[in-house]
Amino acid sequence: SGRPQYAWCDVKVYQDVAYIVKDGTDTAASSSYGIEVFDLTRLESLARDNQPVSLSPDFVYTGHGNSHNLVIDTESGYLYSVGTSRSSQCRGGLHIIDVKTDPLRPTFVGCAAS
């Protein structure tokens, strides 16, 4: 997708949507990385004989830069981004995001700063 490449990646799925974060040391790139959002139903229309395929994200949540891990509470529909860049508004603490209201367009809920 033309985005920075990192060795560490975490992927979590909620309903039919994948959320992907990466953690890196390239501060210029990682400060703007965010969360890539992919609608997994797009995979159903891919022809098997045209593999492999490169896909671009459907949306990029830019409320923070890099992140180390994601956790999703499937009952509340909240996604917790953990180990975000210290320069973000949550200062490296939990970055809480609503993915229930519109899974393809996550929105910021709040912080639990460290």
Side-chain angles (χ1 to χ4, degrees):
S1 69
R3 312 246 316 136
Q5 304 298 310
Y6 296 109
W8 180 260
C9 176
D10 193 21
V11 179
K12 294 296 186 286
V13 174
Y14 177 75
Q15 296 177 354
D16 292 327
V17 181
Y19 303 92
I20 303 169
V21 294
K22 295 185 180 180
D23 197 354
T25 57
D26 179 351
T27 55
S30 64
S31 65
S32 62
Y33 196 85
I35 301 173
E36 290 185 328
V37 180
F38 286 87
D39 181 353
L40 296 176
T41 62
R42 290 192 299 158
L43 300 176
E44 296 171 347
S45 64
L46 297 177
R48 291 179 185 232
D49 57 343
N50 291 336
Q51 303 296 327
V53 175
S54 294
L55 299 172
S56 294
D58 293 284
F59 180 76
V60 178
Y61 173 83
T62 58
H64 64 64
N66 64 318
S67 174
H68 191 71
N69 287 101
L70 294 175
V71 177
I72 296 178
D73 180 339
T74 57
E75 289 184 28
S76 70
Y78 284 158
L79 179 147
Y80 301 92
S81 193
V82 186
T84 60
S85 57
R86 294 205 174 272
S87 61
S88 73
Q89 64 189 14
C90 295
R91 297 173 296 195
L94 284 176
H95 191 101
I96 306 164
I97 302 160
D98 175 4
V99 296
K100 185 174 187 175
T101 303
D102 185 351
L104 290 172
R105 297 282 189 269
T107 56
F108 177 73
V109 173
C111 295
S114 61

